[in-house]
Amino acid sequence: MTATTPLPTRSPRAARSSDPQDVAVVGGGMAGMLAALMLARDGHRVTVFERDDTDLPATADEAFDGWDRRGVPHARQSHALLGRLRKILTTWAPDVLDELLAQGATELTFERVLPPEISDRTPRPGDEDLVVLCCRRLTIEWVLRRAATAEPGVTWRGGVGVAGLIADGADVRGVRLEDGTSVRADLVVVGGGRNSQVMEWIAELGGEVQPTEEQSDAGIIYLSRFYRLRDGQELPLLTKDGAGGDLGYLAFAGFYGDNRTFSITFGVPTGDRELMSRLREPDAWERAIRALTPLAPWTADGLADPITGVESMAGLRNRLRRFVVDGEPVVTGLAVIGDALQGSNPWYGKGCALAGIAAEGLADALVEHGRDRAAIARAMDVVVRSEMEPHYTLACRQDADRIKLHTSMHDGSEPDPIAVATRDFVLNGLLPASRTDPDVFRAFFRSLNMLEAPDALMTDPVVLQRAATAHAAKDQRPPAPTLGPERDDLLALMSLAG
Ligand SMILES: Cc1cc2nc3c(=O)[nH]c(=O)nc-3n(C[C@H](O)[C@H](O)[C@H](O)COP(=O)(O)OP(=O)(O)OC[C@H]3O[C@@H](n4cnc5c(N)ncnc54)[C@H](O)[C@@H]3O)c2cc1C
């Protein structure tokens, strides 16, 4: 890995703003940094307030080993960065993308994941966007931080927490800092993450109409452990070996990292405390991953060594906030982005792309509406409704179905017939079709990468027809191989003395 490559150079993209504004960004996580880069590159003067007071590590590995990002509790959980985010980076910050790759990230291209059973391997227009960026979360965060702090239009104020807003009524005019001082700004952008206090800050302004919030339980606890390949070893091939599966009572996946790292992640139903607490023990974890057939290549003897313990993350929710209610902005001069705006079950890997979509929407809104603060708020609402909310709706529906199935597994109640039928259609129709049909696989991978509207896959007549054909033939196929033991057997296996 290159530790001392030069800082990313400024994007050749021309600034679009003819009337630069002073923008205060709250939070220097994924959303805050993406917004800071985009707005600065459009000509605005951006100050980022990041509460964490930590020096920038010298390398990506140092970032992973020791960067104290307590403001991002999921910093050492597996992340996959979907094609939609990569496309946004390609547009706004190709230099950052190049730097990310120079720092050891890899690209999982369409060609690399196309199942070997598919004989038509001819590339088609659009395939160039079908690329998942693979790296540890702290690697992209570290690369973005270096880029943002090197950007001429960005002032970085690390170790400075924001405590609230300053405003004339509901018209936000700046931020109140935790040290008691205030900073005025033309626009405040809140990217404070999943624990952001933005709703309380707005309530303190005392407006008659308050923002709304919907949320639903993601239904899982996330557990991850990272590994580094030993010398001479290579990452498992996804096309040959696969990378995960769903046992019904437990979902699992392998993630490529950067710099010869990878991780394995479990999604455990929130109700299954016994399984969750056993999996948190490293020895039990190692026994569990070795019991799962698709993970065999990831757990081969001599392949890799763990570089972390088992990190768990609970309290995962899908959440959507609206700052325009009945067509009227609740506040002006304020834009909320990232997890503070829309939280998503991490299993779908959409959070960073959603942060990018909101940041990009904001940059475009400033170009279109200049200093018309109400119009900016409305434009952001359009982005939320058209580009973000459909992902929220789909995640809520999928999670509700999964939770119903888990509940029936646990309490022996009759499973929800629609949830059962949907799972059956996906497992025995859509997935088998996607393994042999280039059109279905392409549509599936486009959807996975957020390059189509979330409902596009299940409303595409070609996909539906071919998935239905595959489903109709399910009894003629040999039974799908068993992915792993039943829950009780897995628990028993984890309890064996090491
Ligand atoms: C377990 C897990 C796995 C995930 N996996 C994926 C994945 O595979 N792919 C994907 O795209 N997404 C994934 N996500 C989601 C993704 O990590 C988030 O969507 C993303 O971090 C959101 O960025 P953000 O900037 O909104 O928040 P964060 O990245 O959390 O950053 C918030 C920042 O704001 C700072 N801050 C907060 N309050 C203040 C304040 N008052 N003053 C100053 N600073 C403040 C914090 O210190 C922090 O730096 C995952 C999430 C979880 C929980």
Side-chain angles (χ1 to χ4, degrees), residues 241-310:
D241 305 316
D246 186 352
L247 292 165
Y249 70 89
L250 178 72
F252 57 96
F255 289 69
Y256 285 180
D258 54 279
N259 294 294
R260 302 181 56 74
T261 61
F262 67 89
S263 58
I264 293 175
T265 288
F266 283 121
V268 183
T270 36
D272 200 342
R273 293 188 172 279
E274 185 183 9
L275 187 55
M276 195 265 292
S277 63
R278 289 314 318 272
L279 282 170
R280 286 169 73 173
E281 298 163 20
D283 287 347
W285 169 279
E286 290 301 319
R287 279 194 285 272
I289 61 175
R290 282 169 177 75
L292 302 172
T293 319
L295 292 183
W298 300 75
T299 56
D301 281 348
L303 179 80
D305 299 301
I307 53 173
T308 61
V310 177

Side-chain angles (χ1 to χ4, degrees), residues 165 170 172 188-193 196-203 205 209-214 319-343 358 373-374 376-382 384-385 388-389:
L165 304 167
V172 174
V188 174
V189 179
V190 175
S196 165
Q197 302 292 301
V198 68
M199 299 297 267
E200 288 83 345
W201 295 349
I202 294 174
L205 302 182
V209 184
Q210 290 295 310
T212 61
E213 174 176 299
E214 291 171 35
R319 185 172 59 195
L320 181 66
R321 290 171 172 159
R322 289 177 207 285
F323 300 90
V324 170
V325 175
D326 295 331
E328 288 304 316
V330 170
V331 281
T332 50
L334 179 82
V336 183
I337 60 173
D339 281 4
L341 171 64
Q342 177 169 350
R373 301 153 74 77
I376 291 170
R378 287 200 185 89
M380 285 303 288
D381 189 51
V382 170
V384 170
R385 286 175 192 279
M388 302 178 67
E389 183 176 355

Side-chain angles (χ1 to χ4, degrees), residues 52-283:
D52 282 357
D53 188 9
T54 48
D55 291 336
L56 191 61
T59 66
D61 277 337
E62 278 185 28
F64 188 75
D65 292 342
W67 199 6
D68 183 5
R69 291 292 282 118
R70 62 190 60 192
V72 184
H74 48 291
R76 288 175 182 81
Q77 290 284 350
S78 302
H79 275 62
L81 304 171
L82 303 184
R84 182 66 184 270
L85 177 71
R86 181 180 167 279
K87 201 164 153 58
I88 291 171
L89 286 176
T90 310
T91 306
W92 285 92
D95 51 333
V96 172
L97 189 55
D98 288 348
E99 176 67 2
L100 190 58
L101 298 175
Q103 291 296 340
T106 52
E107 293 191 317
L108 205 52
T109 59
F110 182 66
E111 196 190 1
R112 272 178 84 186
V113 294
L114 193 62
E117 297 85 351
I118 295 182
S119 53
D120 175 2
R121 309 186 78 81
T122 322
R124 297 195 199 153
D127 286 358
E128 65 282 1
D129 293 331
L130 282 171
V131 182
V132 179
L133 270 174
C134 303
C135 66
R136 291 168 291 180
R137 153 71 192 237
L138 280 169
T139 300
I140 186 170
E141 184 149 342
W142 177 73
V143 168
L144 268 171
R145 173 81 70 96
R146 280 167 26 110
T149 49
E151 191 69 26
V154 174
T155 303
W156 190 272
R157 295 195 58 188
V160 181
V162 171
L165 304 167
I166 53 173
D168 297 332
D171 190 28
V172 174
R173 292 289 167 182
V175 289
R176 195 160 43 76
L177 304 182
E178 286 172 351
D179 65 9
T181 61
S182 298
V183 176
R184 292 190 76 80
D186 298 319
L187 177 72
V188 174
V189 179
V190 175
R194 57 206 295 273
N195 298 319
S196 165
Q197 302 292 301
V198 68
M199 299 297 267
E200 288 83 345
W201 295 349
I202 294 174
E204 284 165 11
L205 302 182
E208 266 177 37
V209 184
Q210 290 295 310
T212 61
E213 174 176 299
E214 291 171 35
Q215 44 178 312
S216 71
D217 189 0
I220 58 165
I221 291 171
Y222 219 73
L223 298 109
S224 300
R225 186 172 209 195
F226 279 79
Y227 300 80
R228 191 183 298 277
L229 292 171
R230 290 187 182 172
D231 287 347
Q233 298 291 341
E234 292 301 327
L235 287 165
L237 283 180
L238 298 186
T239 43
K240 184 165 152 282
D241 305 316
D246 186 352
L247 292 165
Y249 70 89
L250 178 72
F252 57 96
F255 289 69
Y256 285 180
D258 54 279
N259 294 294
R260 302 181 56 74
T261 61
F262 67 89
S263 58
I264 293 175
T265 288
F266 283 121
V268 183
T270 36
D272 200 342
R273 293 188 172 279
E274 185 183 9
L275 187 55
M276 195 265 292
S277 63
R278 289 314 318 272
L279 282 170
R280 286 169 73 173
E281 298 163 20
D283 287 347

Side-chain angles (χ1 to χ4, degrees), residues 15-21 42-45 366-367 370-371:
R16 297 180 298 171
S17 168
S18 54
D19 179 16
Q21 304 193 37
D42 259 352
H44 302 288
R45 298 172 293 269
L366 260 65
V367 170
R371 289 176 187 262

